[in-house]
Amino acid sequence: LLVVIYVFIWSFAIAVYQWQAPERWSHAEIVYSHLSREVDGIRRGLSYVLHSAGGRKFVIQNRDDFSKLNEKLRPGKRYSLIYSKAIAGFNVLEAVSDGAEVLLPLEKSIARWEAQRRQAVICLYVTCGIEIVALILIDRLWCKKEHAQIRAQKEMIRKRQERVQEKLAAQRQDKGAKKP
């Protein structure tokens, strides 16, 4: 049962990565307002967030990108963004450019997405392998007493079946001997 539960959980994680595939990412033109650190969605701790003048928020995935964008972005200036939608409901910033310069390259985000998806698939295989090995060890090491009881019960059943077969054979011989 645990293997089925883990397969379901990891399959869901892989489906989430497929749901957030680069082909499904969106494009937006925004006027930049400011950057902040705040609690956003269901994430624990503070997230790095880019705010547009229109009130839209985009979560920046790592501190290096936040620092780089903090230096290069100018309030009131128009920028072109590519973002993905997270299951938790927030937008994740994947790429930024101002038309003349790429501030956050799309290739970096695609490579990160592919690495995370590959890691989820590997985790699925590793988890299933560990669970199968654990179940085999549990069956062979912790269930020795139960296996011995099962063998004993099967032996008792076999002996009873032999006795029943002998009685039936004896009854057939008795009926055959009585008929002249």
Side-chain angles (χ1 to χ4, degrees), residues 121-134:
V121 171
I122 290 169
C123 287
L124 170 66
Y125 291 140
V126 168
T127 301
C128 288
I130 290 171
E131 280 297 315
I132 289 169
V133 168

Side-chain angles (χ1 to χ4, degrees), residues 9-170:
I9 290 169
W10 283 112
S11 297
F12 178 74
I14 291 169
V16 167
Y17 283 113
Q18 284 306 113
W19 181 71
Q20 295 175 337
E23 303 85 48
R24 299 178 64 118
W25 292 353
S26 302
H27 181 269
E29 296 288 329
I30 65 152
V31 174
Y32 170 70
S33 174
H34 65 283
L35 294 175
S36 68
R37 291 184 63 199
E38 58 188 62
V39 175
D40 191 34
I42 60 172
R43 288 180 153 190
R44 291 187 336 188
L46 296 176
S47 297
Y48 302 105
V49 180
L50 181 144
H51 296 264
S52 73
R56 293 181 71 186
K57 296 179 180 181
F58 302 90
V59 174
I60 302 167
Q61 297 211 17
N62 65 48
R63 183 187 318 214
D64 294 335
D65 292 340
F66 179 79
S67 299
K68 182 179 177 182
L69 292 174
N70 196 27
E71 293 172 4
K72 295 195 174 196
L73 296 176
R74 301 290 169 242
K77 190 172 179 184
R78 183 170 293 278
Y79 292 95
S80 178
L81 308 178
I82 295 177
Y83 64 95
S84 61
K85 293 193 177 289
I87 287 182
F90 53 87
N91 298 323
V92 179
L93 189 62
E94 302 294 350
V96 179
S97 70
D98 64 0
E101 180 184 7
V102 175
L103 306 173
L104 188 60
L106 180 60
E107 295 78 24
K108 180 179 174 184
S109 295
I110 291 173
R112 185 183 62 247
W113 176 82
E114 288 174 348
Q116 288 173 340
R117 190 177 115 254
R118 192 171 33 256
Q119 194 174 24
V121 171
I122 290 169
C123 287
L124 170 66
Y125 291 140
V126 168
T127 301
C128 288
I130 290 171
E131 280 297 315
I132 289 169
V133 168
L135 290 173
I136 290 170
L137 290 174
I138 288 169
D139 182 59
R140 293 296 144 207
L141 298 178
W142 287 350
C143 298
K144 284 183 179 181
K145 181 180 174 185
E146 288 80 5
H147 285 294
Q149 289 173 346
I150 291 170
R151 278 193 300 278
Q153 292 292 325
K154 283 183 179 180
E155 183 62 25
M156 287 174 51
I157 291 170
R158 188 186 62 74
K159 286 180 182 178
R160 281 187 185 167
Q161 286 175 338
E162 285 177 1
R163 282 195 308 255
V164 168
Q165 292 298 326
E166 288 172 3
K167 283 184 182 181
L168 288 174

